[in-house]
Amino acid sequence: MNTGAGGGFIGRPLPRFEDARLVRGAGQFTDDFRYPNQAFAAFVRSPHAHARIVKIDATSAQAAPGILAVLTGADYLADGYTGIAHAALPTDAVNPRSPAFQYPADKPPFDQPQLPLAVDRVRHVGEPVALVIAETAALARDAADLVHVDYAVQHAVADIGEALQPGAPSVWDAVPDNVALDGEHGERTATQAALHAAEIVVGHEFRSQRIANAQMEPRSAIGVYTPETDSFLMVAGSQGVSRQHSALAATLHVPLERVRVISPDVGGGFGPRSYLQAEQVVVVWAARRVGRPVRWTSTRAEAFLGDHQGRDSMATLRLGLDHTGRIHALAADCVYNLGAHTVGGYVPIANFSRILSSIYAIPHAFVRMRGVLTHTGCTGPFRGAGRPEAMFMLERLLDMAAERTGIDRVELRRRNLIRHDQLPYSTPLGLIYDSGDFVHNMQNALDLADWSSFPQRRAEAQARGRYAGIGMANYVEAPVGAPHERVKATVLSSGAVELVAGTQSTGQGHETSFAQVAADQLGVTPQQVRLITGDTRVVTSGGGTHSDRSMRLAGTLIVDACGQIRERSRQVAANLLEVAPEDLVYQNAGWSAAGTDRRVSLFEAARTDEISAEATFTGRIPAHPTGCAVCEVEVDSETGAITLSRYTAVDDVGQPINPLILHGQVAGGIAQGIGQALSEHTRYEPGSGQLLTSSFLDYAIPRASGVPDFLLELTEDPTPGNPLRVKGGGEAGITPCLAAVVNALVDALRPLGIRHLEMPVTSARIRAAIAQAQDGAPEAIASS
């Protein structure tokens, strides 16, 4: 965006400013904070998925060396505190008055505040039951083992299907059937009629398995209480301090001004760190109880047990077409596993329901959505939050439809893509696309991937005893997120511009990209811009970082605030130069009197008068990132080993503020998508609810050696929705990846008669598929 202020920094691939600090080890994460006289905490966690707490005996633990206190949920309630109200329902998605989303009046969505320490019953393995506070972390951990909890163990339901069975144990008494949400989105009657009239109906039941949130930085929290002011401080990495601030104050029943939240450097977010979490509340409360700062840092084993997890859904999709391949209707019955608490599990459900029809001109669509409670860890938003699942299921179904109709995979999609001349386009699920050249994006990706010459590469692989396959997936997103943001800009006489923003970087490079926007608006260099986030002493409001919202909202407000800065500095400069404000010209970070060499810089003006501006926004700034991914694979015919040989992506994320950062975001998302497609799976034992994948020994995240070089290209069909034309790039990589990878693998094994593979598509699953295909039962692999 060119304001005439100078610069031209938007669009430059500047290396991230923050990287120098981080690679030197000079970053400051939560566990780096130290406070005088601090104490250490360890949690006693339930070994059972479902049990009644009969008695907690802390006698031995309290007698252990260095122990300051052992606290339970009964102590917490006795102090007058309540559960965490997560506000799990997306306010603009779950609305009984909205024609787009409806649920029965007699069964509103269940949303139970979460007690940070279980009191009467535990509902998943790893749920916190008590807290031990000691002089050292080792002493706290040792004493935690001495706390004896008498449990009355009960049967647990860990799987969606098991939880829906008649007579299954209820996770919460208020939800006897375990269905916490049952809603509809779209046109039920019209869709059913169109499916009934369709010449061809293709259907399939898909699973999107549960995955762990394997952040680089384990969760950590520090609580500090100041009795003189009856005030609380919490230090904890998060995706935005404002949400933590308001939720913590509400939970502790104190005014906002008596709570301060600091979020320093954060080593990964991906969605779960948007929410105030049980351990954070407990250490803050504990600090008041013992009169000392209390700190806790999760072990990796605790992370697998207690971190919010992602995905875990199943859906039956049906697609109605005519013999030419034109789609007439799409219906889905989708069920999500919420886990034991409704922290944020409704968010993926809402996103799935809105985005399912994607970028195809489908006249009728209907989605039934259910959220089911189980005796497992909580699920919630994880990078993409419902969008990757929706694209995976629809794009897999399109490949199945292509085979059923005999129409080429690419051609079937091309016949149904929304054309550019149809924009703005209203989808049957309530979205309006204002931009996006969907046909061009797909063709561009196919050309870059050299799709047309793949048969030659397949033949070469076959000669080497390997199966080769190629797959593609189109995608679109609907970024939503918290509908509020704030930016404050201040010109400092020292020669810097200070930005305060309500977003929080968890690795996205805000210090660099936000500075590029401000630099272009004010004619300064990006190095002169200082970004301040993560401290409620200065960040008074904001929505945080998630759902592709940071640059779209904060960037818009930076433009607004900098525009105010220019106008306010104009008047100051006019007074200093003794000329009329309209006779001044702004360039190179200063005002010049027209036709003269007299000039006042922005920073000189700030020495004589305070120059600052604030911009806030409450509402939605719609945008729809879109694109296409193509994946090429080879499979060893004997071992089932998978090699990703090529991966190509074309992404329209709007105007690239910093292409280098955007490419990094896309690549990171692809790596996470590859992990889910090929190896990652959080598994619980049926009946007991025991976590079977509790460490990196049995939970397989992708390694660098298994990820190919990516061919990535950015494109743009401009959106008029915001001044920077930003759509969002944080989820672009992962959203089409699951479908592109699995489509390629199925294509590789299609000559054997294999029609579908469930994620994660491991080498063992490949070997089983090949063996069953050779035995004449290729379809059996779909449920293995």
Side-chain angles (χ1 to χ4, degrees), residues 301-318:
E302 282 186 293
F304 278 101
L305 290 170
D307 286 6
H308 298 168
Q309 299 166 347
R311 313 299 190 228
D312 203 349
S313 65
M314 57 186 294
T316 299
L317 271 64
R318 291 184 299 148

Side-chain angles (χ1 to χ4, degrees), residues 89 159 166 182 249 360 395 418 449 566 611 652 664 672 675 720 758 763:
L89 306 176
D159 180 74
D182 192 343
Y360 301 102
E395 291 288 328
I418 298 167
R566 291 196 304 272
I611 300 176
D652 177 359
Q672 285 180 300
E758 290 290 348
S763 59

Side-chain angles (χ1 to χ4, degrees), residues 566-587:
R566 291 196 304 272
E567 288 308 306
R568 292 175 186 178
S569 64
R570 177 201 291 267
Q571 187 59 57
V572 176
N575 294 337
L576 291 173
L577 295 174
E578 298 180 333
V579 298
E582 58 270 21
D583 292 335
L584 293 176
V585 177
Y586 191 85
Q587 58 184 6

Side-chain angles (χ1 to χ4, degrees), residues 248-268:
L248 182 59
T251 303
L252 298 176
H253 304 298
V254 295
L256 281 172
E257 58 268 22
R258 296 223 308 267
V259 177
R260 181 184 180 189
V261 176
I262 295 175
S263 181
D265 287 323
V266 184

Side-chain angles (χ1 to χ4, degrees), residues 209-212 304 642 644 670-683 693 695-704 706-707 738 741-742 745 758-766:
Q209 80 275 24
R210 181 178 294 215
I211 54 176
F304 278 101
I642 298 165
L644 298 182
I670 294 170
Q672 285 180 300
I674 289 171
Q676 182 176 358
L678 299 184
S679 62
E680 297 185 45
H681 190 184
T682 299
R683 299 176 65 97
T693 49
S695 74
F696 286 129
L697 291 175
D698 39 34
Y699 184 89
I701 60 173
R703 295 177 178 269
V707 177
L738 310 180
V741 173
V742 177
L745 287 166
E758 290 290 348
M759 298 186 295
V761 188
T762 61
S763 59
R765 184 160 277 176
I766 290 284

